[in-house]
Amino acid sequence: MTRPDYAEKIPNNVGLAEDRRLQRALESWQPDFLSWWETMGPTLPTQDVYLRTAIDVRGEGWAQFGHVPMIDYRWGIFLADKNPDRRIAFGAHKGEPAWQKVPGEYRAELQRLIVIQGDTEPASVEQQRNLGATAPSLYDLRNLFQVNVEEGRHLWAMVYLLHAYFGREGREEAEELLHRNSGSQDSPRILGAFNEETPDWLSFYMFTYFTDRDGKYQLGTLKESAFDPLSRTCEFMLKEEAHHMMVGTTGVDRVVERTAQVMVENDTDDVAALGVIPLPVIQKYLNFHYSVSLDLFGGETSTNVANYYTAGLKGRWLEERRKDDHKLTDDAIMVDALIDGDIAQTEVSALTGLNTDLRREYIADCSGGVKRWNRILEEAGLSQRLYLPHVAFNRKVGAFAAIEASPTGEKLPAGEWAARKGEWLPTEVDKTFVRSLMRPVYERGKIAAWVAPPRNGINGQSFDYDYVHLA
Ligand code: BYC
């Protein structure tokens, strides 16, 4: 079954109606989800939003667009098509048929991976809940809400797996996903970056560029999983995720473009007083979001990831395109390390270095964004350039958590870091300045002065389309 059934209370393409127990369990989670959405979801009151809703899981035309009151968005359970012949592509079980049930010996690890993935989705909605109050345009407001409802759906995706395959413990974990909250002192979200604030739209664009991109890479590795229902749900999530990347990429494009324009028009770098965000502030935001996102890949070496791979739970990015034995038991990799207190590299087994392998794929992808933004500066005739800071900069997880380093990768004594970190990370003054620019623009076809309009609207609509009707 590929087409979601929207006649059901919980739209799905997993034949939920044929499993009454599961259906009842999920139907009893549904009101808790909706009350979480009402209390922790977007705060700006709206009548309706021009949203896309999935109507198929394959091909083009998989989504339908229309104005929908957000609370009536049909969150549902959609898995990519099953390939009955699918075989495990890596690890100790390579070549065996993919699993349709959870093997007892891997239950705890699989549940943990699904809970961590599930925890990030509502976390991001919580982080972004107040942004509607300062949206730079109706187009941006609509994109924010699209990202939010889809993160809500991604939570549904993980909750379905927990309910369907992990029994009572799974159901308890599904409840917990609604009880932890981003930034909470008592019960915070699991991963660091999801407890940070997203208080302004520059942060939102950076988050959707850098942190959603971690999502892309982690989902890519879970799509390889031997546990077929996880693989199939991640495959479809990745389809929705592409829009979130677009929001981040073009969002930062548009900030850089507007800043460059004002710099050129006024022949000055000092553009804060002219109501746009100076390049050094953009760089500081980039430094922050990139470094906290690097932390999301875990340590450079990790026995967890080696075990996940060998068991077949979590593969590599584009596993099937890799030209090796897909077991890696005899292979080695150079990873970043602290050796005698210095930033260096060391050789470790390829299995324990798999977080590094994934982080490197991610870094290569991120450098594509920087190239794009620098092309905008170059085309404006400016000599300034943005860059990705060194992998040791501002790290709280992994080999470099114990030291401080500059964006160019020099190790710094604690005193120098404390004295200089305001040059590299947003200070209170920077944040207050950025927030001062964040005033809502809700008029059709209008946009805030600190960001350029997008080149294209959504689904072929123009920029001045009525993307959102406010309450
Ligand atoms: N913060 O062995 P290590 C997304 C913990 S984003 C706090 O080095 P491992 C999205 C770690 O859990 C994608 N704790 O790491 C984006 C471990 O704890 P235990 C989310 C951290 O296990 C935007 C210990 O430190 N999905 O979808 O190899 C919007 C040692 O760790 C952090 C996933 O992450 C951290 N940053 O790898 C919406 C996929 N990093 O076991 C959505 C599932 C590590 O000692 N998760 N720790 O108690 C995983 O694959 C892995 O758990 C990790 C960590 C990659 C996160």
Side-chain angles (χ1 to χ4, degrees), residues 123-182:
S124 67
V125 176
E126 292 166 357
Q127 288 170 295
Q128 296 162 14
R129 65 192 300 252
N130 294 319
L131 287 172
T134 55
S137 71
L138 289 181
Y139 161 90
D140 287 283
L141 188 59
R142 178 258 165 223
N143 285 346
L144 167 73
F145 292 150
Q146 182 74 58
V147 168
N148 292 162
V149 293
E150 283 174 353
E151 300 301 10
R153 206 202 68 69
H154 293 178
L155 169 61
W156 269 96
M158 293 302 122
V159 164
Y160 163 70
L161 295 176
L162 290 170
H163 272 242
Y165 297 97
F166 295 89
R168 190 154 66 90
E169 264 186 60
R171 291 193 293 277
E172 285 167 6
E173 289 287 7
E175 281 300 318
E176 283 309 303
L177 287 171
L178 298 175
H179 294 150
R180 281 186 293 273
N181 292 136
S182 177

Side-chain angles (χ1 to χ4, degrees), residues 259-271 274 276:
T259 294
Q261 212 173 42
V262 172
M263 285 170 73
V264 170
E265 275 168 18
N266 296 276
D267 193 20
T268 177
D269 301 350
D270 196 7
V271 288
L274 299 168
V276 297

